[in-house]
Amino acid sequence: MSQPPEDPVPDSTGPPDKQTLRLLERHLASDALVAETAFDPDSYEPRLLQAQLDTGRYPDSVTAVRLDIRWFTTGDFSIHYVEEHDEEGQWECRWDRHPNTHNARLHFHQPPTATEITDLELSSLHPLEVYSTVFTAIEQRLESLWSSE
């Protein structure tokens, strides 16, 4: 009888991690950059946590900004940052951890279209550490937008 691998890699993301989504929602709700949060379909059975960011903190050319967060009991996640612009359309990027055939399990979809993908290394996969990494990148993006104005 063969032994199973020590750390099997699941071939799916698994069910949503409600506890982690609620933890992240509490942090988002207290962040000055976040205008509003909502669960989809609802807070009892969340599959998606969406945060609308405060466009008053962005240049006028940015008409809407959102963050879509999915977190799964397997530790997999997807955090999708999307800006809507008057004339340029969307500017987006995404931090992902999930089984796939295109890159390492942990990877980043690069802006401005999120179509180019690179492997990603994070010092920790704890949800609050990932949250911190994402918000650091968002703050850097904000600085970049204002410096190009």
Side-chain angles (χ1 to χ4, degrees), residues 77-118:
F77 59 82
S78 175
I79 303 178
H80 190 190
Y81 174 80
V82 182
E83 294 173 356
E84 301 285 343
H85 290 258
D86 273 343
E87 314 235 342
E88 303 166 26
Q90 287 188 336
W91 188 99
E92 60 185 302
C93 60
R94 194 170 73 234
W95 295 260
D96 281 346
R97 183 179 187 269
H98 62 86
N100 66 80
T101 57
H102 55 73
N103 275 79
R105 184 179 194 90
L106 183 62
H107 55 277
F108 180 67
H109 295 253
Q110 296 184 31
T113 61
T115 53
E116 283 190 46
I117 306 166
T118 60

Side-chain angles (χ1 to χ4, degrees), residues 5-96:
E6 284 184 17
D7 186 18
V9 176
D11 58 359
S12 75
T13 56
D17 185 337
K18 299 173 200 173
Q19 184 176 0
T20 296
L21 288 170
R22 289 183 184 116
L23 170 71
L24 293 171
E25 193 276 335
R26 285 192 302 274
H27 282 268
L28 287 164
S30 67
D31 194 298
L33 187 56
V34 177
E36 180 181 335
T37 62
F39 288 109
D40 183 27
D42 57 46
S43 62
Y44 298 106
E45 292 297 326
R47 276 183 254 146
L48 169 69
L49 170 58
Q50 190 170 79
Q52 301 296 325
L53 303 189
D54 180 4
T55 55
R57 304 265 314 266
Y58 287 78
D60 290 342
S61 62
V62 179
T63 58
V65 186
R66 75 173 195 275
L67 197 60
D68 297 328
I69 302 174
R70 291 177 171 80
W71 207 283
F72 303 94
T73 57
T74 57
D76 288 341
F77 59 82
S78 175
I79 303 178
H80 190 190
Y81 174 80
V82 182
E83 294 173 356
E84 301 285 343
H85 290 258
D86 273 343
E87 314 235 342
E88 303 166 26
Q90 287 188 336
W91 188 99
E92 60 185 302
C93 60
R94 194 170 73 234
W95 295 260
D96 281 346

Side-chain angles (χ1 to χ4, degrees), residues 122-134:
L122 297 174
S123 59
S124 170
L125 293 175
H126 186 279
L128 294 180
E129 292 293 329
V130 175
Y131 172 92
S132 177
T133 297
V134 169

